[in-house]
Amino acid sequence: MLPLPESTPSRSADAATLATQAVAGDRAAEALLCVRLSPAIRAFARRRLRDPDATREFQQEVLLIFVEALRTGRLEDPARVAGFVLGICRNLALDRARERERRGKLWELYGDSVSACELVQPAEVTLEIMRLEDCLTELSQRARQAVWLTYGELLSHAEVSTRLGISEGNARVLRHRALHALKQCVASPKRWEAMQ
Amino acid sequence: MSTADDSLSLLDDYLAAAMSDEHAADFEEQMFAAAAAGRAPELGYLDALFQQAQWFTSRGGFSSGATAAQIAELRKLPNVHYIDVEADTRVSAWPADTKFVVYRLDVDLRGYENIDVAIVTPEGEHRKWFRDVAYDPADGALYGACDAPLAVSTFRREPLIARIQASRAETGKREIVAELSVTPR
């Protein structure tokens, strides 16, 4: 998880409250909104781009525009902050080329603020990675492959089913079951953690 | 987003493009609203899975099992400890700066398929499964590598037995091929 400023607002605060605070100049609320929305922005980008670098760049660009909008009072209805960010994503997806030049200028102005919300690729193994490594061994080879092809090799659903040599329906069920099993497994502390 | 199970499946469909664009447009509204409200744990889970999966690319993905040649290459790196697991193996503590533990299980699995390794205590208490592992076709042995903290629970905490179960390729008969015991020294 990314570090947040010391004056972090309540993590249970609703989006409209956070957006209102952010528009009023509360940088901690702004940062928390960015952190909350970043996974959704990345999901939006991953569905379309299927490339880690392009996803990172897209997220960065959306957040730059979002922060600028907050600080210049362009978010008129704080209750609709989620839709506002989704709108940014859609507009950006429609015409990224037009925005590329603008991004350089925004980066100079707001780059420092946005960099705190960026996705950090771990250089060293983390507890979460070790849990995943541990849990993967309990899946069948086919289930591991289904998850790997989608989330590691970033293939589309149709490509995954072709690679596995099974129907799209079967690939979907296989992946869903594997994801649920993994989620349950990684959420629980492991025996080896007690020995750290 | 609705219930956690439904949400996870829907999000997977969305990400894998197993959802129509029309449906995806509606789903995006829900996804962003849930994210902004801090009520999208499944989004955080799959977001983390994407990031962590990229880390695994340097290790050849999510495959389970390695070849002798791969293990030989790993052994050339610093901070790698090797364990040769035979019928009754005593394992000493490895250096504190060890990052990876690589190992070979002395078994010949040529002619077998659907190989699972159950880690159990001498009293029969189950500890862990390694499912669908791959053996080296050259010598039939099992090779593996894992991060040192994970290896502690298998090799250094308590006496354990690796029970290797597989099906004969010709007949499909399921059997225990070998039991290798490991005891911390």
Side-chain angles (χ1 to χ4, degrees):
Chain A
M1 182 49 81
L2 297 167
L4 293 171
E6 284 183 11
S7 59
T8 298
S10 166
R11 286 192 172 268
S12 61
D14 64 58
T17 302
L18 286 177
T20 302
Q21 292 168 343
V23 168
D26 184 337
R27 296 287 188 263
E30 178 186 283
L32 183 52
L33 270 178
C34 288
V35 168
R36 279 188 185 178
L37 285 159
S38 288
I41 298 167
R42 287 195 284 268
F44 181 98
R46 280 170 183 139
R47 179 177 162 91
R48 291 158 175 82
L49 302 172
R50 307 213 162 272
D51 173 78
D53 291 335
T55 296
R56 197 174 305 120
E57 188 189 339
F58 187 90
Q59 177 212 345
Q60 206 174 73
E61 202 159 345
V62 170
L63 288 178
L64 285 167
I65 295 168
F66 177 51
V67 170
E68 186 204 30
L70 288 173
R71 296 193 189 182
T72 56
R74 285 198 294 112
L75 174 64
E76 292 175 356
D77 183 359
R80 294 185 47 78
V81 63
F84 185 81
V85 175
L86 175 56
I88 294 173
C89 290
R90 286 175 174 165
N91 288 337
L92 207 54
L94 285 173
D95 190 0
R96 295 193 66 207
R98 181 172 55 82
E99 293 291 335
R100 200 164 291 137
E101 188 181 329
R102 175 176 154 80
R103 180 174 171 273
K105 294 174 187 170
L106 289 170
W107 186 253
E108 285 179 17
L109 287 172
Y110 306 115
D112 289 345
S113 302
V114 168
S115 60
C117 299
E118 280 197 49
L119 184 153
V120 179
Q121 196 76 323
E124 292 288 327
V125 65
T126 61
L127 176 66
E128 289 73 23
I129 284 174
M130 284 194 289
R131 277 189 181 181
L132 178 60
E133 186 179 356
D134 195 8
C135 293
L136 283 167
T137 65
E138 308 231 356
L139 295 181
S140 70
Q141 170 66 9
R142 212 148 182 76
R144 284 194 298 265
Q145 263 188 300
V147 176
W148 172 252
L149 292 172
T150 306
Y151 292 89
E153 293 199 15
L154 310 175
L155 301 184
S156 73
H157 177 62
E159 292 167 326
V160 170
S161 64
T162 302
R163 285 277 287 272
L164 292 176
I166 56 179
S167 72
E168 291 193 15
N170 284 347
R172 183 169 172 266
V173 170
L174 181 64
R175 201 174 53 244
H176 286 179
R177 285 182 180 160
L179 288 172
H180 281 106
L182 268 184
K183 186 181 181 219
Q184 197 168 24
C185 181
V186 297
S188 55
K190 306 287 165 251
R191 291 172 59 82
W192 50 265
E193 290 175 38
M195 294 177 264
Q196 299 301 293
Chain B
M1 300 184 135
S2 52
T3 67
D5 280 4
D6 291 347
S7 297
L8 183 57
S9 297
L10 280 171
L11 183 58
D12 176 65
D13 285 346
Y14 171 80
L15 288 164
M19 179 187 282
S20 70
D21 287 346
E22 190 182 13
H23 187 182
D26 290 339
F27 180 76
E28 283 166 354
E29 304 277 353
Q30 299 169 42
M31 178 173 75
F32 274 78
R39 288 184 285 101
E42 64 290 341
L43 188 55
Y45 162 58
L46 288 189
D47 190 51
L49 183 60
F50 263 113
Q51 294 174 52
Q52 291 159 8
Q54 297 314 304
W55 187 87
F56 279 85
T57 53
S58 61
R59 294 186 169 195
F62 289 167
S63 60
S64 188
T67 64
Q70 289 169 326
I71 294 301
E73 284 302 307
L74 278 174
R75 291 180 70 182
K76 293 176 187 170
L77 300 173
N79 311 116
V80 173
H81 185 76
Y82 175 73
I83 301 172
D84 202 355
V85 181
E86 297 179 322
D88 188 3
T89 302
R90 297 196 172 270
V91 179
S92 302
W94 45 75
D97 60 356
T98 298
K99 288 190 173 175
F100 298 105
V101 172
V102 297
Y103 52 87
R104 175 184 184 276
L105 269 60
D106 187 31
V107 60
D108 188 350
L109 287 160
R110 286 172 289 190
Y112 287 93
E113 58 189 13
N114 301 325
I115 301 153
D116 296 327
V117 180
I119 305 297
V120 297
T121 66
E123 295 75 34
E125 193 179 337
H126 177 78
R127 287 286 183 261
K128 183 173 175 54
W129 278 109
F130 290 84
R131 295 194 187 275
D132 269 352
V133 294
Y135 63 86
D136 187 319
D139 67 355
L142 289 176
Y143 293 84
C146 66
D147 290 287
L150 282 179
V152 170
S153 62
T154 305
F155 293 110
R156 289 291 304 155
R157 187 172 186 265
E158 60 185 338
L160 288 172
I161 295 167
R163 181 173 294 151
I164 301 158
Q165 306 171 34
S167 304
R168 284 197 179 273
E170 282 186 359
T171 62
K173 186 186 173 197
R174 192 82 177 153
E175 56 189 72
I176 294 174
V177 181
E179 288 192 329
L180 309 178
S181 70
V182 174
T183 308
R185 195 189 296 272

